Amino acid sequence: MDYSIMVTLGFLVFAIVMFAMEKLPLSVTAMITAVGLHLAGVLTAKEAFAGFVDSNVILFMAMFIIGAAFFETGVAVAVGNVVNKFAKNETILIVAIMMLTGIMSGFLSNTGTAAVMIPVVMGICKKGGFNATKFLMPIVFAAAMGGNISMIGSPGNMIANSNLQQAGLGSFGFFDYGWVGLPMLIVGTIFYALIGKRFLPETPSRTPDANYSENDDYSHIPTWKKWTAGVVLVLTILAMIFEKQIGVSLAVSSWIGALVLVATGVISETAAVKSIDMKTILLFAGSLALGTAMVKSGTGAYLADIIVQALGDTPNPFVLLLVLFWLSVFMTNFMSNTADVALLAPIGLTLASTLGYDPRAILVAIVISSSLAYATPIGMPANTMIYNVAGYSFKDFVKAGLPLIIVSAIVSLVLLPILFPFNP
């Protein structure tokens, strides 16, 4: 075995174990991997840190600022409170909060969307006499599903796109993931409204935290700031949707929106800088370095050969899809979905190249499956957040999340071969 492959495999195993155990912050593990790959001679310094100037990282930084303005001016909470007018019963409330959360999550941070929806939903439950414990899980599940609606819905979406671009195979459209993600959100919402609500916990398994018990007061925020934050968000999203028509890249459109918000004073420079989550940026950039090493060293090809040999010389495309899909589902419930995509995307690309399949078919399957982190409280940051707020147990997540994984998998595995065929 080649030295570079051995070293890269070593860091791959290290990353998987550390991501799963979380003894170190995920961002630290990712950067240790990037620096280690350079010191071991697998990557040059430029290659190891190239992720920091990746267009997707630049895009994500701007969206943190736009999202922060949307949250801090109270617009997001105002939108959520509209739901209270329609919350006549449990079924309607589940549908309303899941669809609202899912759509917001398609264009904003999953964790940020969940964070702002938690106090909104708890306030709705208090006014309507509903059991808040039963409605917090649907928020984070919808946020995860909604993250598949657009390119900017989740960091993993952009990592897969970066891998496709780096391989010189083009890029995904802004709503390409949404062809599978939106039906999954709709079916998942219907499932919980009709059947799945029986699996949701009725009472806390332990004493809940006092956090998010009341909504913040946004009455002091000037109306013009609220309107500006909302209009900038809408215009930025429209600019991204029509990227090809207007000839302005996603990263540039997002930064125009972010700069307008800072220049007009809707959000201060200090608040804008603080809103950029460096943990996510470090995790993103470090994970891209591992992906680069897997391609450059031939590790991706090495692992792909092992999988191909195990499946036979001419594996059935659907069997290959199933293997990668369920491997990704298992991994994402014990580690970051961003890390999951970063680890599997280079392998998927190499497999596609080896077998002559459309790489988009495999990458979309990896992205979608990486979002099915419903069965553990560590699958997503938002899961961990409500774990303490609602006083859930590990078993609560397994009981409520596993059925949704199965439902989501069925929807995905039916749509993927149709919408993203292996041989288009």
Side-chain angles (χ1 to χ4, degrees), residues 8 37 42-44 46-48 50-51 163 166 285-299 342 346:
T8 305
L37 286 166
V42 177
L43 298 178
T44 64
K46 185 176 181 179
E47 290 169 333
N163 275 268
Q166 289 172 3
S287 298
L288 284 179
L290 180 58
T292 300
M294 291 185 68
V295 174
K296 181 182 179 181
S297 67
T299 305

Side-chain angles (χ1 to χ4, degrees), residues 91-224:
T91 301
I92 294 176
L93 182 56
I94 287 177
V95 171
I97 63 174
M98 288 190 72
M99 290 305 298
L100 175 61
T101 302
I103 291 170
M104 286 175 61
S105 181
F107 306 103
L108 302 169
S109 157
N110 294 4
T111 306
T113 300
V116 80
M117 286 300 294
I118 288 170
V120 170
V121 170
M122 293 189 80
I124 291 172
C125 289
K126 187 174 182 180
K127 290 179 181 178
F130 297 108
N131 179 10
T133 305
K134 194 169 187 176
F135 293 94
L136 292 181
M137 272 194 189
I139 294 175
V140 296
F141 294 161
M145 291 186 285
N148 293 317
I149 291 177
S150 75
M151 174 74 71
I152 60 173
S154 170
N157 299 7
M158 291 184 285
I159 283 184
N161 192 52
S162 291
N163 275 268
L164 195 65
Q165 291 172 336
Q166 289 172 3
L169 299 171
S171 63
F172 289 108
F174 189 76
F175 281 123
D176 277 359
Y177 299 119
W179 289 107
V180 179
L182 185 57
M184 193 166 70
L185 172 62
I186 293 171
V187 173
T189 300
I190 294 172
F191 168 72
Y192 271 116
L194 300 179
I195 301 171
K197 59 185 177 183
R198 301 172 187 171
F199 303 115
L200 296 170
E202 294 282 354
T203 56
S205 299
R206 54 196 177 81
T207 305
D209 279 355
N211 297 335
Y212 306 104
S213 58
E214 295 181 5
N215 292 326
D216 291 329
D217 179 18
Y218 298 100
S219 60
H220 64 285
I221 305 292
T223 302
W224 71 267

Side-chain angles (χ1 to χ4, degrees), residues 47 55 92 119 139 216 275 298 308 330 337 349 363:
E47 290 169 333
S55 61
I92 294 176
I139 294 175
D216 291 329
S275 72
V308 170
F330 173 79
N337 62 342
L349 270 178
L363 287 180

